[in-house]
Amino acid sequence: MTLPLRLPDDLRSAFKEPLGPVYTDAEALLAEAGDP
């Protein structure tokens, strides 16, 4: 059985802003990440 999860309305504002940079270019993300 799978239950859908829902973020409570009072917590939605806590997740509006990203915690770090948002990358739209995979190459830039990989360059920034460096070697594992």
Side-chain angles (χ1 to χ4, degrees), residues 5-31:
L5 299 177
R6 179 182 156 100
L7 184 64
D9 290 336
D10 60 330
L11 292 178
R12 290 179 182 268
S13 64
F15 296 99
K16 290 240 180 219
E17 294 297 321
L19 298 176
V22 176
Y23 292 92
T24 57
D25 179 21
E27 294 296 324
L29 172 62
L30 293 173

Side-chain angles (χ1 to χ4, degrees), residues 30 32-36:
L30 293 173
E32 182 74 22
D35 294 330

